[in-house]
Amino acid sequence: MQQDLITQARTWLAEDPDPETRAELAGLIDAGDLAALADRFAGTLQFGTAGLRGEIGAGPMRMNRSVVIRAAAGLAAYLKAQGQSGGLVVVGYDARYKSADFARDTAAVMTGAGLRAAVLPRPLPTPVLAYAIRHLGAVAGVEVTASHNPPRDNGYKVYLGDGSQIVPPADAEIAAAIAAVGPLDGVPRPESGWETLGDEVLAAYLERTDAVLSPGSPRTARTVYTAMHGVGTSVLTAAFARAGFPEPVLVTEQADPDPAFPTVAFPNPEEPGAMDLAFATARRAQPDIVIANDPDADRCAVAVPDPSAGAGWRMLRGDEVGALLAAHLVDRGVTGVFAESIVSSSLLGRIAEKAGLGYEETLTGFKWIARVEGLRYGYEEALGYCVDPEGVRDKDGITAALLIAELASGLKEKGRTLLDLLDDLALAHGLHATDQLSVRVEDLTVIANAMRRLRETPPAALAGLPVTSAEDLSQGTDALPPTDGLRYHLTGARVIVRPSGTEPKLKCYLEVVVPVGGADELPAAGVKAAELLAAIKRDLAEAAGI
């Protein structure tokens, strides 16, 4: 076994094209570090509906040039088997470690396989790549990004020609094609032959962003903005300038791309402490709103002044922003279907129903939301919003930021705020309050054990509320294909438990709905909702053994 591991590592080393990962692997072999080698060669990174994502390093269980070349070769083989020989594949990338290398390798493999490849001119937001696929008539797109994962990670996201992310069975078929790739020296990788795009695609995307706003709408909201060390600053500020909003005040420490993400533990606006610098800037600049993108700028976080919050500012939950944008679009008289994933607040359905609009619920992820027929607006509680599905069939943190700034501006002209509109929605539909119990693990068996425990012994009640129905989503439902998850309906509440698809986390999504008779009842309803959520969280953790 020991000799097999060393042999496997030496075989990998012999074809690794990257001097850095070659040196890393050679060092481990020379040192006889069998534990580290076993970790890197325990299997292969699995290609699924999120593509690939993992820690950068040597070996098949890490993100590296060898793994990416195989992934690109498998994708190329899949596309050719689908009759797409000679088709265009667009490649985008963020500013993480190795992203530019992975993008270049992908373009080389596509070119060598007889497809055409075009690479975006520099690190740009993921929604620009999603837009470019449809704009250029590509047969597929690849975005090299790990979104808001830790600095040591990178990833590989695949889109097909409709501009939306892959779903089954394409993911399994691509995975099979990757597994069938032989030695790397059999994968042609020419030194040139692909196109490096100019700024024309970015210009077309920016022109498209104007379409999300109402002509002549107020554009007065003042914004503090952070790119969270990612790629959003130049594109968002250009979009705001085009639209005529005041120039955002930048969180300078986080404005430029930096793959080390030096000021945050996790480059995700939802993580504790990630918004501290943004709030400090806001206390100096006194804007109307704070907007944050995640590092690849497909997510959008919003914060509002709140004297009762410790920092003087409060992050709105993704569900709150989702409802605000929906209410704004309804107020503008849009038509079409509103959609969200099952883990998002049921408030969207209430808003759509009252407005006479269609409503759909999907599995988690924009790969599903973007495929809803007649989609006009889709969102997910993890700060993802699709406000222009004809332009970008994915979440887009740039256009979402424009739309929330337009909403804040219109309210400002009336002497009102986003919090006032949230109160209006609570009065109209009941107070919908959401929270999340999220457990990050080192050992994935913790997640498997928790799911098994909940399946074998489902809770009969949570926070004293009886569980009226329990669904094992792995069996599928009339409306949803199978997925690894559990859904509990309670009297006035709902809970969904699922493993994260992109991080080593168990995620539990909680919602309570408290009726509100009048504005004077809002404070008490808020207190009751918070108490119920805390109690559900406590009881669920006990039931899951986490």
Side-chain angles (χ1 to χ4, degrees):
M1 179 72 78
Q2 184 172 316
Q3 192 54 47
D4 286 350
L5 185 58
I6 296 291
T7 301
Q8 198 178 354
R10 290 192 190 281
T11 302
W12 184 276
L13 178 66
E15 63 174 19
D16 188 340
D18 189 327
E20 290 185 29
T21 47
R22 282 178 59 82
E24 174 194 335
L25 189 53
L28 294 175
I29 294 170
D30 291 345
D33 192 339
L34 297 178
L37 289 172
D39 185 42
R40 285 159 174 76
F41 288 87
T44 58
L45 277 186
Q46 292 302 300
F47 186 94
T49 48
L52 293 168
R53 199 174 287 189
E55 185 176 343
I56 294 171
M61 287 296 290
R62 298 287 190 270
M63 282 296 295
N64 52 64
R65 290 183 60 198
S66 297
V67 164
V68 164
I69 289 166
R70 290 180 182 280
L75 175 60
Y78 167 82
L79 292 171
K80 291 167 74 173
Q82 299 293 313
Q84 306 285 9
S85 294
L88 175 66
V89 179
V90 191
V91 184
Y93 59 103
D94 67 11
R96 284 177 177 267
Y97 295 119
K98 301 286 184 184
S99 285
D101 294 339
F102 296 166
R104 187 175 57 251
D105 282 332
T106 300
V109 171
M110 296 300 163
T111 303
L115 292 144
R116 293 179 295 125
V119 183
L120 293 182
R122 59 184 175 279
L124 286 168
T126 293
V128 176
L129 180 276
Y131 168 81
I133 295 165
R134 288 163 60 81
H135 178 68
L136 296 173
V139 298
V142 171
E143 177 69 15
V144 180
T145 181
S147 190
H148 56 277
N149 274 40
R152 65 181 183 272
D153 288 2
N154 212 328
Y156 199 80
K157 186 185 291 190
V158 176
Y159 298 75
L160 293 181
D162 62 354
S164 54
Q165 296 175 52
I166 54 170
V167 294
D171 58 340
E173 292 169 2
I174 295 170
I178 293 170
V181 175
L184 287 194
D185 60 11
V187 178
R189 300 200 310 278
E191 292 293 321
S192 61
W194 59 89
E195 179 185 2
T196 299
L197 296 166
D199 279 341
E200 299 83 7
V201 169
L202 177 59
Y205 168 82
L206 285 168
E207 189 174 334
R208 177 81 199 184
T209 62
D210 298 348
V212 306
L213 302 174
S214 292
S217 61
R219 313 277 168 93
T220 56
R222 293 175 301 107
T223 303
V224 158
Y225 171 72
T226 175
M228 207 66 65
H229 297 297
V231 298
T233 296
S234 63
V235 179
L236 181 133
T237 53
F240 270 55
R242 285 181 63 96
F245 287 104
E247 182 178 357
V249 176
L250 301 181
V251 179
T252 54
E253 302 94 330
Q254 298 175 335
D256 296 326
D258 187 337
F261 302 105
T263 68
V264 290
F266 288 96
N268 178 355
E270 293 180 293
E271 292 284 348
M275 294 292 288
D276 288 355
L277 286 171
F279 293 159
T281 304
R283 286 193 291 274
R284 295 192 299 270
Q286 297 294 303
D288 299 299
I289 52 175
V290 172
I291 288 175
N293 287 140
D294 67 338
D296 68 326
D298 63 351
R299 288 173 169 83
C300 177
V302 181
V304 294
D306 183 352
S308 68
W313 285 79
R314 176 168 83 83
M315 268 275 287
L316 297 180
R317 299 194 68 83
D319 284 317
E320 292 176 312
V321 177
L324 288 168
L325 290 174
H328 182 44
L329 290 169
V330 166
D331 189 54
R332 282 175 34 180
V334 305
T335 58
V337 176
F338 284 6
E340 63 180 341
S341 65
I342 57 173
V343 299
S344 305
S345 171
S346 60
L347 178 56
L348 184 69
R350 306 268 178 99
I351 292 170
E353 182 182 18
K354 186 171 183 180
L357 298 174
Y359 168 74
E360 292 287 340
E361 204 176 44
T362 75
L363 292 184
T364 309
F366 271 82
K367 57 184 176 281
W368 300 108
I369 294 171
R371 285 180 158 76
V372 168
E373 191 171 341
L375 180 68
R376 177 56 185 86
Y377 167 64
Y379 98 90
E380 191 158 68
E381 56 75 43
L383 310 182
Y385 314 94
C386 175
V387 301
D388 177 26
E390 287 306 304
V392 176
R393 291 196 178 175
D394 199 1
K395 54 189 176 292
D396 183 345
I398 305 297
T399 50
L402 285 170
L403 201 60
I404 203 76
E406 178 185 60
L407 172 58
S409 298
L411 291 167
K412 182 180 180 181
E413 299 293 297
K414 300 172 185 172
R416 307 187 77 230
T417 68
L418 296 177
L419 293 179
D420 293 328
L421 182 52
L422 285 173
D423 286 347
D424 291 349
L425 292 172
L427 291 170
H429 305 287
L431 177 64
H432 289 63
T434 58
D435 201 356
Q436 192 179 125
L437 171 62
S438 181
V439 181
R440 184 180 293 272
V441 301
E442 293 292 330
D443 180 0
L444 290 176
T445 61
V446 173
I447 295 176
N449 290 339
M451 294 297 290
R452 185 177 67 251
R453 179 167 169 161
L454 288 170
R455 283 190 167 102
E456 291 174 354
T457 315
L462 296 169
L465 303 174
V467 175
T468 56
S469 70
E471 297 171 276
D472 186 344
L473 298 175
S474 67
Q475 307 302 310
T477 72
D478 291 344
L480 299 170
T483 187
D484 187 10
L486 301 164
R487 178 163 58 180
Y488 305 112
H489 289 285
L490 302 90
T491 305
R494 182 221 65 201
V495 173
I496 291 172
V497 184
R498 60 179 283 272
S500 169
T502 56
E503 298 176 271
K505 281 183 175 181
L506 181 67
K507 303 183 91 169
C508 311
Y509 305 85
L510 325 175
E511 179 178 40
V512 299
V513 183
V514 179
V516 182
D520 58 325
E521 296 179 18
L522 281 168
V527 171
K528 181 179 180 181
E531 290 172 348
L532 281 172
L533 287 169
I536 291 173
K537 194 183 290 191
R538 181 194 65 234
D539 291 354
L540 185 63
E542 183 178 343
I546 50 175

